Amino acid sequence: MTVSTASSAREILTRLHDVMASRANAQTKLNQVVNIIGEATSSEVCSLYLLRDGALELFATRGLSQEAVHVTKLALGEGLVGSIAERVEILNLDEAAAHPDFAYKPETGEERFHSFAGVPIIRRERAVGVLCVQHTEPRRYEDLEIEALQTVGMVVSELIANAGLVDGPESAANRPASTAALRLAGQKLVDGMARGFAVFHQPRINIEHTVAEDIEAERRRVYSAFAKMREQIDTMAAQAEFGVGGEHEEVLETYKMFAYDEGWSRRINEAIDSGLTAEAAIERVQQRTRMRMRQIDDPLLADRMHDLEDLANRLLRIVSGQLGTAAQMGLRQDAILIARNLGPAELLEYDRRRLKGVILEEGSLTAHVTIVARAMGVPVLGRVKDVRRLIGEGDLLLLDANQSAVFVRPSASMEEAFEAKLALSQKRRASYAALRGLPPVTRDGQRITLMVNAGLRDDAAALDLTGADGIGLFRTEFQFLVSATLPQRERQQRLYRDILDAARDRPVVFRTVDIGGDKALPYMRPDDMGEENPAMGWRALRVALERDGLMKAQARALLEASAGRPLHVMFPMVSEPWEFEAAKAIFEAQRTWIASRNRPLPTQIRYGAMLEVPALAECLDLLLPELDFLSIGTNDLTQFLFAADRAHPKLAERYDWLSPAILRFLRRIIVPARDHGVPVTVCGEMGGRTLEAMALLGLGIERLSITPIGIGPVKAMVRSLDLAALRPVMEGWLANPPRNLRQELSRWAEDHGVELA
Ligand code: PEP
Ligand code: MG
């Protein structure tokens, strides 16, 4: 073999380019390819195996017996060639027969050859063939020679994909590392089951051309893509301080490190020198890194590898101009979306009729994207490790969020079991639907108020579907999140009126905008709100009181929309009593203004505060006399109580809602509120889970506002619960908490015939 510099590799590529541009048929081209490589590398043998019908078939050879072509076949994992393909690994041996995987195929006549080097031909991270060279003299091939073979392998991969020589694009080329059926575990973020096909939020790029026509032009393309990517990363880092896109700081730091890594851009440049297009060069370097990483078993490095993959994909998208997300490109039917993470606004871009489920590599229970998905009725499985490597675009998926699992490319028996379960869960849902007209009354006669959380116009339909008592939390910021520009007062008013119309005589509690945190607005630039710790930063009422133009417009919209009927309004993130008073004063000023114009007013205005910041609990005695109602937002409250970011994937499962700290804290709020005659609702996600809801009732909560899909199961729980029996037990547990309160509660529920979902 004589390949020792990039220019020699380039010579091979130039010759390959001519072959590929010719009109010959695919087989003739492959015959020419093995000849060129064999000749250029002075190897006696050069053979090409391609994956067809699940086996590696000898497609072309120079040096082995021609009789063996299309006859010799190796299973994945069989022989040296099979093991290269299975492990997507290079082999470089001076004595092939001495390797434990060596499998002798007499028809090839290969016994004369001693040294052997083979590289996988990769498409979408999976081997679709093997290219190998053999030599009579026992010697090891040099690294540069192997690299040249790999580069050639990329071009061959283009040739065989274009000629459709390997297993079809859906089944093979787009497939991930393995094609076998898999069960992947994750964390249930939104309940539900779905059957659908994998769609990547950031679609993968198909590399169409691998051999460069003009090397300098390719270099310029890569340069400008790098510049653009760095600019994007810098913007993301600036926005992350405000929480846009949910990208995590640590990840962004790594992105930044790679984006500015000289070594990476140099290696891509070298690959371009060898004659590859910009896209192929990026992919080539990525393949090499993947192979190296596979040999290092270090979870920390594996994490970094994900980041580099993300970035390489981003670079590929920029360089190829294929920029849109799957939402912008039009979603297929029955889609199950795969992403590392998503922002709430990104999720809202998807057509909810086509979107059947979401699978995230990160994600947490109370992140707003999860709340939005719950509102959309889309099951979500989070924290699925390596999902973007293990699932291929278009793969059939059976998502069983209830079981915290997804079945990938399921076997027939998996499908059968899934269908049976799905039927059962539909039956269960039907039984919940049958409860719609029945009141949520406990076995001992306590009437519980069950309301829904909402935020989108369509959500009002949930009232009739579930038979809920009203909307206990209307997140008005959702309208702001889905709009490209700040919604004007008239648009706000229209939405509020529609919601009130749909609710008829049932109450709707409008929460004034809670933006900031992980709910960032695309039209509010980070410069306006840049900060290090957005969840504890300038958000919700803090923004509203300072930017009071926003609040005034919303107050007018709400007051006018509620003309002739009662208005319930509540303020998020009240931390000190004066904030509630200031917010109320803004509403009252608007009321006075409307009255002075003799325009119709609401029949009654009821003002409430959300208790989400623990500090407020200490001053509740000062605030309670001012309040018409109080609503506890357990999502934010728990993040502040435990100092645990609600959107942080690593903290997603760390603290339990059923911990003594939370339950005792809630109790401290409930008691004085009751003494002041102020009704208390819990409106966080906690209340939508049956066991947690049971604990809340045990604490003395009588009003829950929960996700619509929770109404059926929670009502079934309420109707099977003897509340008078639970309360003293709960008191005992609060005084002397058992080691595992969740376990005790479950056991109690089981012993007392409480229906839990
Ligand atoms: C909460 O914090 O519990 C809450 C209901 O509000 P959000 O989830 O919108 O912050
Ligand atoms: Mg909140």
Side-chain angles (χ1 to χ4, degrees), residues 366 368 371 453 473 475 477 511 514 519 539 610 612 632-637 646 683-685:
T366 57
H368 278 99
I371 293 173
N453 293 343
L473 165 65
R475 292 181 164 101
E477 66 276 4
R511 176 188 57 196
D514 178 4
K519 288 178 282 195
R539 59 172 281 206
M610 284 188 77
E612 307 181 88
I632 306 177
T634 48
N635 303 335
D636 275 312
L637 181 64
R646 64 193 263 185
C683 66
E685 302 307 302

Side-chain angles (χ1 to χ4, degrees), residues 20 34 79 152 219 388 420 475 529 538 593 618 654 755:
M20 296 192 33
V34 289
V152 171
R219 204 188 308 287
R388 289 170 304 159
R475 292 181 164 101
M529 304 166 97
W538 196 54
W593 188 88
E618 288 299 326
R654 189 170 183 111
E755 261 186 59

Side-chain angles (χ1 to χ4, degrees), residues 20 83-85 88 186 245 280 290 539 554 571 581 621 676 692:
M20 296 192 33
S83 103
I84 290 171
V88 199
R290 267 181 222 127
R539 59 172 281 206
Q554 187 170 34
F571 306 116
E581 284 151 25
D621 54 327
H676 281 82
E692 280 82 345

